Amino acid sequence: MLGKGIIKGMAETARNFLGSYVSAERLTTVQYPEQRIPQIEKARQFPFLVFDGDDPMKGLRCVACQICEKECPPKCIYIVKSKDKRVDYKGQMQLYPATFDIDLSVCMSCQICVEVCPFESIKMDTAYELSTTDRFGGLMVNKHQLAKSNEHYRHIHPTDAAASDAALAVEVAKAQAKAKADIEAKAKAAAEAKAKAAVITPVAPKPVAAT
Amino acid sequence: MTESLDQIFVTLKHWLLSGFENLLKWLEVAPPDWLMPLVSMVLSLAPILMVFPALFAITTVLERKGLGRIQNRYGPNRVGPFGFLQFAADGIKAIIKEDLVPRAADKIFHFIAPVILVITAFTVYAVLPFGRNMVAVDLDAGLLFFFAVGAASELAVFMAGWSSRNKYALLGAMRAVAQMVSYEIPLILSSVAVVMITGTLSLTKIVEAQSTHAGLLPDWFVFTPWGFMGFALFMIAANAELNRSPFDLPEGESEIIAGYFIEYSGFKFALFFLSEYLSMFALSGLGITLFLGGWNAPFAVLDFIPSWAWFFAKLLALIFLFIWTRGTLPRLRQDQLMNLAWKFMIPMVLVNLVAAALWHFTGPGWMRWLSSGALVVGAYMLLGKPQFESKDIGKRTYRFAD
Ligand code: SF4
Ligand code: SF4
């Protein structure tokens, strides 16, 4: 019959209306500034730049490759490369960001910058009370404000941080192995060259005949 | 005592009026002819201009709290005790906001649309009887006046939508006009049944016709088959006239953002809001007057409670009904809206007129209940069946992209 569904719906909402006064379990919301729900581990809000060591500016992992700047859908990242290079965690010479700004008012928390960064240097933070009284300058977050330590990352996203640390450890191990191999290869090459030189000197024309 | 409490506002007005007259006499000023009627008019209108906006303020808070509870939330509870001063915060915010007018808008019409809307919303109160002897202007054709003035709000809505030069505003305004024109017919025809029975267009006389008590139930028209159906149709049509959920297509947030008042901000936006609620109270008041016995008490023993208290109690009950439906029903689609109006509501009100006639001409006794009731119920079953019965479309199957 016409109207049956309406009556059913009205009964349901009436039950909610009255029930919310009797049983507190029905109320799914919390009284926010006083009460807070613990965040889930995957919570994400706004990116930050990871640094290692004690000095935020020296320890930034970011190498100013600008991949994130190009990939960010709303284009809210602004990077200026440095003129000089410095040694990164792998011991290689790398650029670093002279300027790294993210516009808080534009960022949509999509995490794409994090996904594309090949250097584990930008991650999502969980802080959500980001409002400011200065709507022009206050919403432009610079690299000093963005830099947060790796310990902070381990604290807010333990699982992801462990994965990231492992990935970096692999990279470092690879780099070290490569460096070692390089050194060995160099030493070998040098030794060979020496040996060759020693062998070659007396019988000079022989290799030519061999080829 | 009861009598004086009932008439307290009327006495107060007379007292103020004679006081003013005495003051003039004492000052030895001869008042011009037009002065005393003007003062009397102002004294009648001032309470309306104060009470209903105050009711609007309280209703906005109550509505938000009620909707919150319906959705198992708290609703506003920060400003003032239990959040009841929320309206003050909202009002201050609305007033101090920047008033933006689109560059391409028709400035004059953009400005006067909310003004006209508020004026029409206030004007209809003139003929509503709020209590015994409490009506600002006792027109013989009060009902006609109410509908004639109320229809002007459609003009204002379209003016707002058209002058904004915004596609959403225009779409909203066109939806609003289509909807209001369609539902104006059931709204008026459902009240025509009452006019047929009482034989008068004066709202005070209609209330008087319902003031007797026959048997257990009071003689309110809602307690008759045609009156009940008429009241239901009236309330549905009123809901549509007010653009309230489930008929909020003209301002459907998910499709056209705010519809016809999308380009209004600050105080003008607040005026739209105010007029929407004022019309809600006015139409509820009309529904009370036509079907719920106006300011009459339901039982003779309860007559000691003043008449105006009864009116406002009924008004609050109807406001609660509006909030309740808003919290329950989802928005209709445009074609469903038109189907409901033209294929169900309008045939139904026409049948209802016949039922009212049957009731009148069958004379007292159980026969009138039977004939009129059978007609109404039968028509309801028959008309409601074809389009609104949920069709069995089988089990829903899902195909996922792979
Ligand atoms: S989270 Fe998304 S929007 Fe924000 S900076 Fe990263 S890529 Fe840009
Ligand atoms: S954050 Fe990552 S992707 Fe972005 S510039 Fe720095 S290293 Fe490159």
Side-chain angles (χ1 to χ4, degrees), chain B residues 15 32 65 72 88 104 111 163 174 211 223 243 279 304 337 353 374-375 391:
Chain B
W15 187 72
K65 283 180 98 67
N72 286 327
F111 178 79
S163 64
M174 297 208 301
S211 59
F223 297 121
N243 302 330
S279 327
F304 69 91
L337 178 88
L353 290 184
L375 188 61
K391 290 178 204 76

Side-chain angles (χ1 to χ4, degrees), chain A residues 45-103:
Chain A
Q45 203 54 239
F46 187 65
F48 70 98
L49 294 173
V50 191
F51 70 85
D52 299 300
D54 301 322
D55 186 344
M57 285 307 109
K58 282 217 179 83
L60 277 187
R61 288 179 187 171
C62 175
V63 299
C65 69
Q66 293 182 314
I67 294 176
C68 56
E69 186 183 33
K70 292 190 187 92
E71 293 287 338
C72 172
K75 296 270 172 284
C76 63
I77 304 181
Y78 174 68
I79 300 173
V80 176
K81 288 184 184 179
S82 63
K83 294 275 183 298
D84 54 330
K85 289 193 174 186
R86 68 180 186 200
V87 180
D88 75 345
Y89 69 102
K90 289 194 283 192
Q92 287 172 337
M93 293 308 278
Q94 290 283 21
L95 296 170
Y96 60 93
T99 309
F100 197 117
D101 293 336
I102 304 183
D103 193 338

Side-chain angles (χ1 to χ4, degrees), chain B residues 143 147 186-210 219-234 285-294 349 352-357 359-360:
Chain B
L143 191 62
F147 286 130
L187 186 77
I188 294 176
L189 284 186
S190 61
S191 10
V192 164
V194 175
V195 177
M196 280 164 58
I197 296 291
T198 54
T200 172
L201 280 166
S202 153
L203 291 176
T204 38
K205 297 233 175 62
I206 289 176
V207 174
E208 270 157 30
Q210 301 178 73
D219 274 346
W220 300 355
F221 292 136
V222 72
F223 297 121
T224 58
W226 60 268
F228 183 76
M229 191 35 86
F231 180 60
L233 292 169
F234 181 89
L286 187 66
I288 291 166
T289 306
L290 291 178
F291 298 100
L292 296 181
V349 279
N352 203 39
L353 290 184
V354 179
W359 175 270
H360 185 68

